[in-house]
């Protein structure tokens, strides 16, 4: 795992964009896993800029959504779907047949996770996995626990996640999410974790201890040969 200390959110995002763009140049039809939330926002803006400069740069890229809340409806602006559609899919003109996504409204979330797991297998895995870190050290919705799950699964949300600002605004009680598992993340050819935002310093400090622990799911990235942890130091103070 390689750790980069950046002076600002902008520097962090620029470094992430350099890594992503270099991979897309080599493999234009790669499978890109997109996290929702605020951490990758700068990266997505730089990808949009690249798309505006070279409209065919992302033409063959495939995208998969990292996670989704269970219990929201398609009209909600709090879904990961809404976030990723607005920041990435629409901005890069990603075609529907190049986008894999946990459906927001599904009768059986477990079956939906199986469907997404099969889709990943069809692609022989993810090429680039973009992650943010939760205040409690979660990656995607793999929450701190005694055991972590390798494949796509329905996750019970941790109390710290439930207390996060966004969930409190949703207005409906949430308790679960659909998420890629830690096996899907670790099997990705490249992982980029953005560490930025208020309240993330304790999780970062624990991560940098270098111990692999299931109560800090991000620490599993120490096992990955091509994981890039990009820290916005300004937001850590
Ligand atoms: O709960 C979640 O949090 C992380 C981090 O969110 P951010 O807004 O601080 O970037 C996010 O990456 C993850 O997808 C989401 O499920």
């Amino acid at each position: 795992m390689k750790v980069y200390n950046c002076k600002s959110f902008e520097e962090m995002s620029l470094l992430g964009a350099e890594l992503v763009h270099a991979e897309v140049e080599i493999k234009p039809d790669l499978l890109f896993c997109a996290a929702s939330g605020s951490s990758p926002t700068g990266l997505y803006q730089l990808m949009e800029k690249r798309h505006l400069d070279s409209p065919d740069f992302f033409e063959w890229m495939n995208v998969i959504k990292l996670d989704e809340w269970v219990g929201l409806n398609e009209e909600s602006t709090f879904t990961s779907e809404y976030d990723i559609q607005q920041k990435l899919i629409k901005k890069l003109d990603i075609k529907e047949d190049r986008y894999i996504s946990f459906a927001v409204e599904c009768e059986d979330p477990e079956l939906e996770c199986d469907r997404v797991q099969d889709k990943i297998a069809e692609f022989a895995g993810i090429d680039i996995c973009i992650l943010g870190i939760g205040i409690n050290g979660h990656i995607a919705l793999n929450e701190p626990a005694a055991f972590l799950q390798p494949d796509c699964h329905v996750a019970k949300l941790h109390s710290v996640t439930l207390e996060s600002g966004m969930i409190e605004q949703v207005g409906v009680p949430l308790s679960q999410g659909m998420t890629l598992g830690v096996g899907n993340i670790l099997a990705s050819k490249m992982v980029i974790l953005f560490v930025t935002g208020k309240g993330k310093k304790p999780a970062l400090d624990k991560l940098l201890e270098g111990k692999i622990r299931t109560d800090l799911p991000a620490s599993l990235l120490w096992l990955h040969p091509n994981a890039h942890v990009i820290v916005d130091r300004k937001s850590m103070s």
Side-chain angles (χ1 to χ4, degrees), residues 76-112:
S76 170
T77 54
F78 291 107
T79 61
S80 299
E81 186 65 29
Y82 181 82
D83 195 63
I84 286 171
Q85 284 287 345
Q86 300 303 314
K87 292 179 187 160
L88 194 71
I89 302 298
K90 288 188 177 152
K91 298 286 197 243
L92 302 190
D93 297 317
I94 301 291
K95 309 263 178 321
E96 215 177 300
D97 61 347
R98 292 194 177 275
Y99 179 47
I100 304 164
S101 169
F102 296 102
V104 174
E105 289 181 33
C106 53
E107 280 192 10
D108 186 338
E110 302 278 357
L111 280 182
E112 183 59 4

Side-chain angles (χ1 to χ4, degrees), residues 17-61:
E18 279 169 13
L19 290 167
V20 169
H21 293 165
E23 291 303 307
V24 178
E25 291 216 359
I26 297 167
K27 187 179 176 189
D29 63 345
L30 55 71
L31 180 56
F32 178 87
C33 177
S36 56
S38 52
S39 306
T41 302
L43 165 68
Y44 299 159
Q45 284 168 353
L46 290 164
M47 291 173 76
E48 180 190 358
K49 187 171 177 301
R50 181 65 188 250
H51 173 64
L52 294 172
D53 291 345
S54 339
D56 46 4
F57 190 73
F58 294 109
E59 191 178 353
W60 306 108
M61 190 174 83

Side-chain angles (χ1 to χ4, degrees), residues 3-4 8 20 27 35 65 77 92 134 204 206 210 224 230 237:
V3 180
Y4 307 74
S8 63
V20 169
K27 187 179 176 189
K65 180 174 68 173
T77 54
L92 302 190
L204 174 67
K206 255 201 224 175
H224 195 286
I230 315 186
S237 54

